[in-house]
Amino acid sequence: MIAILDQGRFHFSYGMALVPLAYGDGEGDDSILLTAANQFNLAGPEAVQDKSQNFTVANLNLQAGKKAMEMSDFVLAYSYFDNGISFLRKKHWEEHYNLSLKLFDLAAKCALTNGDIVILRLLSEQVMLYARSYEDKLNVLYLVTCSLAFSFRLPESIEKGLDILANLGIDLQEWRSTEACIQETMTLLSTRTDDEILNTRQMTDPTMIIALKFLTKLELGMTQTKPRSVLFVTQKIIELSLAKGMSSMSPIGFVYFGAFISKRGDIRSGYRYVELALSLLDKVGAESAGEVICIATQIKIFVEPIQAALEYHDDGYAASMVAGDVFNALLNPLLKNSCMYVAGVKLQTMREEYDKFERLAKENNQSIFLVQVKQVQRDVLRLIGSDEEVTIPEEQKLVASNNSVLKTFCFRKAYISFMFRSYDDAKEHVSKFYDCRENAWANLM
């Protein structure tokens, strides 16, 4: 039998033989690239005989990880980045800074997508320790901010995002009235046609690109805890996009502005900005497509036939999965399922869809979504006539701390009380719903 050390050398030699083919003519072959990386990783760092090979292998794992991300396999991608890091030599932050930063940044992104917050924290600590500039720390700071939002620490996530934006010189100017903010945004947009907006130049400043990511993350978080602030974030996204160029995050600003205008009662104008946001995706790429489609569909159902419009949420789910955006991958089917009542879907079909969603939420440890879907699931079972009990251990905690969850809770209680002719209870819960409604931004439905 081949000795373990000899096996490692065999795998390593095979990998080295494939390297020229993996990079051939600048294009290379994806299957050869992945095979070469797999051979190196089977061999392990111990098989390296020339220190110059460490850089080659680490860089090959970086390229293989990027390819796995393109295939939406973030678990596989993380394994390549992790292996790439393992091949780096001591003092790699000094000798191969750019390669090290890319490997750690992308490994952290995959860790977040895979729900491994501990690994994300360890990777981010290394970047924070060795990064040469504040700008080089921004990617992991963004990922850490996202992880806080997913870990029931939404206020802390928002505060951290605001601090970072302040460091970048971006001020939301929340001392203004919302009406003034609306008028300023409308005036800004009125100076350009839709075609001019769609053909705005691309954003190239790396700092501004990451700044827009922080702004869009704030937008999503503030809808749940600081709804008044959402409009100011929206305006800043639109303002920077028109002044500095469009980024992959820019469509989010336009779709939220369309949603806000619709919420004020002007559905037709809101629909225009929603369609503009969707068109922008074709110009800037689909990184934010899951969130844009999610918000856009909730406006579309007021203009287009609801049964057909709800199917857009399937596209939003698919786009989110491709981008590794677990939050919006879950939000799209949740909103689709929640609207099934008014779309005339059979109760048994709804029950099956909610069971499917519950499994998905559990797999991804998304407790907020689990609570919200179980609230509707409970109503479906009562309407079917089932005696099955639905217990929600986290419900009271989230109802007390998250106004959007409270709004959903009050609405569901009012609805089911009305359906069973408990009119006093219905009136009580409707009153509570309106008490919290203005503090919960997403209230079109």
mmCIF file of all heavy atoms in Angstrom, residues 256-278:
data_model
loop_
_atom_site.group_PDB
_atom_site.id
_atom_site.type_symbol
_atom_site.label_atom_id
_atom_site.label_comp_id
_atom_site.label_asym_id
_atom_site.label_seq_id
_atom_site.Cartn_x
_atom_site.Cartn_y
_atom_site.Cartn_z
ATOM 1 N N TYR A 256 -38.059 50.583 -2.346
ATOM 2 C CA TYR A 256 -38.598 51.024 -1.058
ATOM 3 C C TYR A 256 -39.310 52.367 -1.197
ATOM 4 O O TYR A 256 -40.321 52.610 -0.537
ATOM 5 C CB TYR A 256 -37.491 51.130 -0.008
ATOM 6 C CG TYR A 256 -37.259 49.854 0.770
ATOM 7 C CD1 TYR A 256 -36.339 48.907 0.330
ATOM 8 C CD2 TYR A 256 -37.969 49.581 1.932
ATOM 9 C CE1 TYR A 256 -36.127 47.729 1.028
ATOM 10 C CE2 TYR A 256 -37.760 48.411 2.639
ATOM 11 C CZ TYR A 256 -36.848 47.487 2.189
ATOM 12 O OH TYR A 256 -36.648 46.316 2.875
ATOM 13 N N PHE A 257 -38.785 53.240 -2.072
ATOM 14 C CA PHE A 257 -39.463 54.514 -2.282
ATOM 15 C C PHE A 257 -40.828 54.270 -2.937
ATOM 16 O O PHE A 257 -41.832 54.893 -2.556
ATOM 17 C CB PHE A 257 -38.613 55.444 -3.151
ATOM 18 C CG PHE A 257 -39.157 56.843 -3.231
ATOM 19 C CD1 PHE A 257 -39.175 57.658 -2.113
ATOM 20 C CD2 PHE A 257 -39.677 57.340 -4.419
ATOM 21 C CE1 PHE A 257 -39.690 58.948 -2.164
ATOM 22 C CE2 PHE A 257 -40.192 58.623 -4.491
ATOM 23 C CZ PHE A 257 -40.201 59.432 -3.360
ATOM 24 N N GLY A 258 -40.881 53.354 -3.887
ATOM 25 C CA GLY A 258 -42.162 53.003 -4.493
ATOM 26 C C GLY A 258 -43.136 52.441 -3.481
ATOM 27 O O GLY A 258 -44.333 52.758 -3.496
ATOM 28 N N ALA A 259 -42.630 51.620 -2.558
ATOM 29 C CA ALA A 259 -43.486 51.054 -1.514
ATOM 30 C C ALA A 259 -44.000 52.147 -0.585
ATOM 31 O O ALA A 259 -45.166 52.121 -0.163
ATOM 32 C CB ALA A 259 -42.706 50.005 -0.716
ATOM 33 N N PHE A 260 -43.128 53.115 -0.273
ATOM 34 C CA PHE A 260 -43.539 54.190 0.627
ATOM 35 C C PHE A 260 -44.616 55.067 -0.019
ATOM 36 O O PHE A 260 -45.609 55.426 0.622
ATOM 37 C CB PHE A 260 -42.334 55.050 1.022
ATOM 38 C CG PHE A 260 -42.625 56.009 2.136
ATOM 39 C CD1 PHE A 260 -42.505 55.616 3.453
ATOM 40 C CD2 PHE A 260 -43.065 57.299 1.869
ATOM 41 C CE1 PHE A 260 -42.793 56.489 4.502
ATOM 42 C CE2 PHE A 260 -43.359 58.182 2.897
ATOM 43 C CZ PHE A 260 -43.224 57.774 4.213
ATOM 44 N N ILE A 261 -44.419 55.402 -1.287
ATOM 45 C CA ILE A 261 -45.417 56.211 -2.003
ATOM 46 C C ILE A 261 -46.744 55.454 -2.075
ATOM 47 O O ILE A 261 -47.824 56.035 -1.898
ATOM 48 C CB ILE A 261 -44.914 56.546 -3.420
ATOM 49 C CG1 ILE A 261 -43.669 57.440 -3.345
ATOM 50 C CG2 ILE A 261 -45.999 57.229 -4.240
ATOM 51 C CD1 ILE A 261 -43.890 58.766 -2.670
ATOM 52 N N SER A 262 -46.676 54.157 -2.288
ATOM 53 C CA SER A 262 -47.894 53.333 -2.334
ATOM 54 C C SER A 262 -48.584 53.312 -0.982
ATOM 55 O O SER A 262 -49.811 53.383 -0.889
ATOM 56 C CB SER A 262 -47.550 51.902 -2.766
ATOM 57 O OG SER A 262 -46.966 51.888 -4.051
ATOM 58 N N LYS A 263 -47.797 53.233 0.077
ATOM 59 C CA LYS A 263 -48.350 53.210 1.428
ATOM 60 C C LYS A 263 -49.129 54.489 1.723
ATOM 61 O O LYS A 263 -50.138 54.476 2.434
ATOM 62 C CB LYS A 263 -47.213 53.047 2.437
ATOM 63 C CG LYS A 263 -47.663 53.062 3.895
ATOM 64 C CD LYS A 263 -46.466 53.046 4.825
ATOM 65 C CE LYS A 263 -46.903 53.224 6.272
ATOM 66 N NZ LYS A 263 -45.775 53.286 7.200
ATOM 67 N N ARG A 264 -48.715 55.591 1.123
ATOM 68 C CA ARG A 264 -49.395 56.864 1.316
ATOM 69 C C ARG A 264 -50.677 56.977 0.482
ATOM 70 O O ARG A 264 -51.399 57.962 0.573
ATOM 71 C CB ARG A 264 -48.457 58.017 0.955
ATOM 72 C CG ARG A 264 -47.376 58.263 1.996
ATOM 73 C CD ARG A 264 -46.248 59.117 1.442
ATOM 74 N NE ARG A 264 -46.710 60.412 0.955
ATOM 75 C CZ ARG A 264 -46.768 61.525 1.693
ATOM 76 N NH1 ARG A 264 -46.408 61.474 2.973
ATOM 77 N NH2 ARG A 264 -47.164 62.659 1.169
ATOM 78 N N GLY A 265 -50.949 55.960 -0.325
ATOM 79 C CA GLY A 265 -52.195 55.925 -1.078
ATOM 80 C C GLY A 265 -52.057 56.116 -2.575
ATOM 81 O O GLY A 265 -53.009 55.916 -3.326
ATOM 82 N N ASP A 266 -50.854 56.489 -3.043
ATOM 83 C CA ASP A 266 -50.648 56.696 -4.476
ATOM 84 C C ASP A 266 -50.031 55.428 -5.073
ATOM 85 O O ASP A 266 -48.833 55.388 -5.385
ATOM 86 C CB ASP A 266 -49.744 57.912 -4.696
ATOM 87 C CG ASP A 266 -49.664 58.330 -6.155
ATOM 88 O OD1 ASP A 266 -50.227 57.612 -7.017
ATOM 89 O OD2 ASP A 266 -49.037 59.369 -6.438
ATOM 90 N N ILE A 267 -50.854 54.405 -5.239
ATOM 91 C CA ILE A 267 -50.381 53.111 -5.720
ATOM 92 C C ILE A 267 -49.777 53.224 -7.117
ATOM 93 O O ILE A 267 -48.751 52.623 -7.415
ATOM 94 C CB ILE A 267 -51.526 52.075 -5.728
ATOM 95 C CG1 ILE A 267 -52.055 51.854 -4.305
ATOM 96 C CG2 ILE A 267 -51.058 50.750 -6.323
ATOM 97 C CD1 ILE A 267 -51.140 51.105 -3.393
ATOM 98 N N ARG A 268 -50.423 54.003 -7.980
ATOM 99 C CA ARG A 268 -49.961 54.101 -9.366
ATOM 100 C C ARG A 268 -48.535 54.664 -9.441
ATOM 101 O O ARG A 268 -47.691 54.136 -10.150
ATOM 102 C CB ARG A 268 -50.935 54.971 -10.171
ATOM 103 C CG ARG A 268 -50.665 55.015 -11.656
ATOM 104 C CD ARG A 268 -50.758 53.672 -12.312
ATOM 105 N NE ARG A 268 -52.042 53.025 -12.140
ATOM 106 C CZ ARG A 268 -52.344 51.827 -12.619
ATOM 107 N NH1 ARG A 268 -51.418 51.140 -13.267
ATOM 108 N NH2 ARG A 268 -53.529 51.296 -12.429
ATOM 109 N N SER A 269 -48.258 55.754 -8.710
ATOM 110 C CA SER A 269 -46.907 56.324 -8.715
ATOM 111 C C SER A 269 -45.907 55.373 -8.063
ATOM 112 O O SER A 269 -44.767 55.228 -8.535
ATOM 113 C CB SER A 269 -46.898 57.670 -7.983
ATOM 114 O OG SER A 269 -47.677 58.627 -8.670
ATOM 115 N N GLY A 270 -46.347 54.739 -6.975
ATOM 116 C CA GLY A 270 -45.476 53.764 -6.320
ATOM 117 C C GLY A 270 -45.121 52.623 -7.249
ATOM 118 O O GLY A 270 -43.968 52.163 -7.292
ATOM 119 N N TYR A 271 -46.093 52.177 -8.025
ATOM 120 C CA TYR A 271 -45.888 51.079 -8.981
ATOM 121 C C TYR A 271 -44.838 51.464 -10.023
ATOM 122 O O TYR A 271 -44.036 50.638 -10.447
ATOM 123 C CB TYR A 271 -47.216 50.752 -9.650
ATOM 124 C CG TYR A 271 -47.185 49.579 -10.599
ATOM 125 C CD1 TYR A 271 -47.076 48.270 -10.123
ATOM 126 C CD2 TYR A 271 -47.293 49.767 -11.975
ATOM 127 C CE1 TYR A 271 -47.072 47.195 -10.993
ATOM 128 C CE2 TYR A 271 -47.288 48.697 -12.848
ATOM 129 C CZ TYR A 271 -47.174 47.417 -12.358
ATOM 130 O OH TYR A 271 -47.170 46.357 -13.225
ATOM 131 N N ARG A 272 -44.828 52.734 -10.400
ATOM 132 C CA ARG A 272 -43.839 53.210 -11.386
ATOM 133 C C ARG A 272 -42.423 53.007 -10.858
ATOM 134 O O ARG A 272 -41.531 52.511 -11.570
ATOM 135 C CB ARG A 272 -44.084 54.687 -11.692
ATOM 136 C CG ARG A 272 -42.997 55.310 -12.567
ATOM 137 C CD ARG A 272 -42.947 56.820 -12.436
ATOM 138 N NE ARG A 272 -41.708 57.355 -12.955
ATOM 139 C CZ ARG A 272 -41.241 58.558 -12.684
ATOM 140 N NH1 ARG A 272 -41.921 59.374 -11.882
ATOM 141 N NH2 ARG A 272 -40.093 58.974 -13.204
ATOM 142 N N TYR A 273 -42.184 53.395 -9.604
ATOM 143 C CA TYR A 273 -40.839 53.258 -9.049
ATOM 144 C C TYR A 273 -40.474 51.796 -8.793
ATOM 145 O O TYR A 273 -39.297 51.416 -8.885
ATOM 146 C CB TYR A 273 -40.714 54.085 -7.770
ATOM 147 C CG TYR A 273 -40.723 55.563 -8.040
ATOM 148 C CD1 TYR A 273 -41.785 56.372 -7.633
ATOM 149 C CD2 TYR A 273 -39.684 56.167 -8.741
ATOM 150 C CE1 TYR A 273 -41.809 57.732 -7.900
ATOM 151 C CE2 TYR A 273 -39.697 57.528 -9.020
ATOM 152 C CZ TYR A 273 -40.759 58.307 -8.604
ATOM 153 O OH TYR A 273 -40.782 59.644 -8.889
ATOM 154 N N VAL A 274 -41.471 50.992 -8.500
ATOM 155 C CA VAL A 274 -41.239 49.554 -8.339
ATOM 156 C C VAL A 274 -40.772 48.951 -9.664
ATOM 157 O O VAL A 274 -39.809 48.170 -9.717
ATOM 158 C CB VAL A 274 -42.533 48.869 -7.846
ATOM 159 C CG1 VAL A 274 -42.497 47.375 -8.126
ATOM 160 C CG2 VAL A 274 -42.721 49.125 -6.356
ATOM 161 N N GLU A 275 -41.452 49.307 -10.758
ATOM 162 C CA GLU A 275 -41.063 48.811 -12.080
ATOM 163 C C GLU A 275 -39.676 49.326 -12.463
ATOM 164 O O GLU A 275 -38.886 48.611 -13.087
ATOM 165 C CB GLU A 275 -42.091 49.250 -13.126
ATOM 166 C CG GLU A 275 -43.422 48.517 -13.021
ATOM 167 C CD GLU A 275 -43.280 47.035 -13.355
ATOM 168 O OE1 GLU A 275 -43.020 46.718 -14.529
ATOM 169 O OE2 GLU A 275 -43.398 46.198 -12.428
ATOM 170 N N LEU A 276 -39.371 50.554 -12.061
ATOM 171 C CA LEU A 276 -38.052 51.121 -12.332
ATOM 172 C C LEU A 276 -36.975 50.325 -11.603
ATOM 173 O O LEU A 276 -35.909 50.026 -12.163
ATOM 174 C CB LEU A 276 -38.029 52.587 -11.890
ATOM 175 C CG LEU A 276 -36.738 53.384 -12.157
ATOM 176 C CD1 LEU A 276 -36.429 53.450 -13.644
ATOM 177 C CD2 LEU A 276 -36.858 54.790 -11.571
ATOM 178 N N ALA A 277 -37.252 49.970 -10.355
ATOM 179 C CA ALA A 277 -36.295 49.177 -9.569
ATOM 180 C C ALA A 277 -36.043 47.822 -10.225
ATOM 181 O O ALA A 277 -34.891 47.365 -10.317
ATOM 182 C CB ALA A 277 -36.817 48.991 -8.148
ATOM 183 N N LEU A 278 -37.100 47.181 -10.694
ATOM 184 C CA LEU A 278 -36.956 45.878 -11.352
ATOM 185 C C LEU A 278 -36.154 46.007 -12.645
ATOM 186 O O LEU A 278 -35.332 45.133 -12.968
ATOM 187 C CB LEU A 278 -38.334 45.272 -11.638
ATOM 188 C CG LEU A 278 -39.130 44.857 -10.397
ATOM 189 C CD1 LEU A 278 -40.567 44.533 -10.771
ATOM 190 C CD2 LEU A 278 -38.487 43.655 -9.706
#
